[in-house]
Amino acid sequence: MTLAQWMALFMLALFTPIEVASAGSGGNELSQRLGSGNPVAGKEKSDAGRCQECHGVDGNSGDTRIPNHAGQYAGYLAKQLSDFQAGARQHTVMSVMAEDLDAADIADIAAYFAAQKPMRGRDGIGNASARRLFVNGDASREIKPCAECHGKNGEGRVSGDGGTVYPVLGGQRKAYLRSQLVSWKLGERHNSPDGVMNEVAKRLNEDDIDALADYLSGLQPP
Ligand code: HEC
Ligand code: HEC
């Protein structure tokens, strides 16, 4: 999607939040991306030293350890916030930050970040062996292709039945990606459906993880 298209979608989201929310079922990429929240309310709710301070006003963080949310699927962001609240995912800062949010806050804040111009990596090139691993997997080590779930350019998607959201990885922050792959591998993070990411990450070695984090953080999904 071009920048102009995203701007148009964002304006649409700003001025017609109710229609966007009720556009509902199937096929509508924008409603899939934004979920049911109101991005205008979400802008205010995430302001005031709350979320934007770390995750950026436009959803791009200023620190490689802090994830970008720009253009991330709202359903994915909302799931993570509920998981932090429930203790299914743990992090010293985020477990506290998520504590006081109610369901409407979560939906609105997630919609606000989802509506931002999607995160973009620095160069879009990257290491060829990491690309091969991401796109094709490695059958000899029983590593599934990451791209099968996360999309060829790490652009993410929502499953056909709408139940699973595969997050955007292309253009995500490098140290953050690395830390998540390590914690999936060690089983410290264990909130993916059916433990799928633990299964994937435990087959990756340190070099794979470094190369994938470097590769993904450089991607520029179309
Ligand atoms: C002091 C900095 C800080 C603040 C303020 C903060 N976050 Fe975070 N956030 C982080 C860090 C660091 C992580 C990475 C956690 C990890 O490593 O597991 C994170 C992770 C997340 C994630 C998971 C993203 C992913 O890709 O899985 C979500 C969603 C999130 N934050 C939303 C919020 C929201 C909403 C607020 C405001 C209510 C907020 N954050 C406030 C630092 C912050
Ligand atoms: C069978 C599907 C599947 C495959 C294959 C897969 N993933 Fe995932 N991945 C997921 C799902 C689903 C999530 C979201 C988990 C959640 O809801 O917390 C995820 C989450 C992640 C995250 C966390 C993103 C964030 O913002 O915190 C990273 C990083 C990741 N995957 C990298 C990879 C890499 C690298 C590969 C290949 C080596 C891979 N994944 C293969 C399904 C998959």
Side-chain angles (χ1 to χ4, degrees):
M1 201 173 290
T2 65
L3 173 56
Q5 283 171 316
W6 266 100
M7 298 283 286
L9 289 179
F10 185 37
M11 297 310 278
L12 177 73
L14 277 182
F15 295 114
T16 57
I18 293 156
E19 283 84 329
V20 168
S22 59
S25 58
N28 181 328
E29 195 192 328
L30 181 64
S31 73
Q32 269 198 347
R33 176 89 50 175
L34 300 191
S36 58
N38 177 341
V40 179
K43 181 178 169 65
E44 209 155 301
K45 289 177 176 179
S46 60
D47 199 359
R50 230 185 168 183
C51 322
Q52 294 172 21
E53 181 146 332
C54 287
H55 293 287
V57 176
D58 63 355
N60 291 294
S61 90
D63 183 318
T64 177
R65 294 164 302 180
I66 303 179
N68 295 332
H69 298 334
Q72 183 59 276
Y73 281 92
Y76 172 76
L77 295 173
K79 174 180 181 288
Q80 300 311 306
L81 291 167
S82 309
D83 286 355
F84 284 125
Q85 287 184 332
R89 179 173 174 184
Q90 284 165 344
H91 183 263
T92 331
V93 172
M94 278 312 303
S95 301
V96 175
M97 292 308 305
E99 216 168 52
D100 296 335
L101 304 175
D102 66 22
D105 297 338
I106 289 182
D108 293 347
I109 293 173
Y112 171 68
F113 284 121
Q116 303 303 309
K117 187 162 89 65
M119 57 183 96
R120 271 178 92 66
R122 57 190 185 274
D123 53 25
I125 327 166
N127 168 315
S129 70
R131 175 173 178 78
R132 216 173 307 122
L133 185 57
F134 188 79
V135 174
N136 304 324
D138 182 347
S140 72
R141 294 190 287 155
E142 293 177 48
I143 300 171
K144 285 191 207 170
C146 317
E148 223 166 67
C149 293
H150 292 283
K152 247 193 156 121
N153 295 293
E155 67 275 24
R157 66 183 176 88
V158 178
S159 68
D161 62 8
T164 306
V165 187
Y166 302 99
V168 176
L169 303 177
Q172 186 53 278
R173 302 300 245 130
K174 181 168 159 180
Y176 173 74
L177 286 168
R178 193 183 178 287
S179 76
Q180 298 309 299
L181 289 169
V182 170
S183 56
W184 293 120
K185 181 179 167 79
L186 298 177
E188 284 164 3
R189 182 171 169 188
H190 41 71
N191 64 332
S192 63
D194 302 322
V196 58
M197 278 308 303
N198 300 106
E199 281 302 310
V200 170
K202 77 183 185 197
R203 298 183 163 83
L204 301 173
N205 62 37
E206 288 274 315
D207 291 344
D208 297 330
I209 289 177
D210 287 344
L212 283 165
D214 185 53
Y215 172 69
L216 290 169
S217 63
L219 281 183
Q220 303 184 332

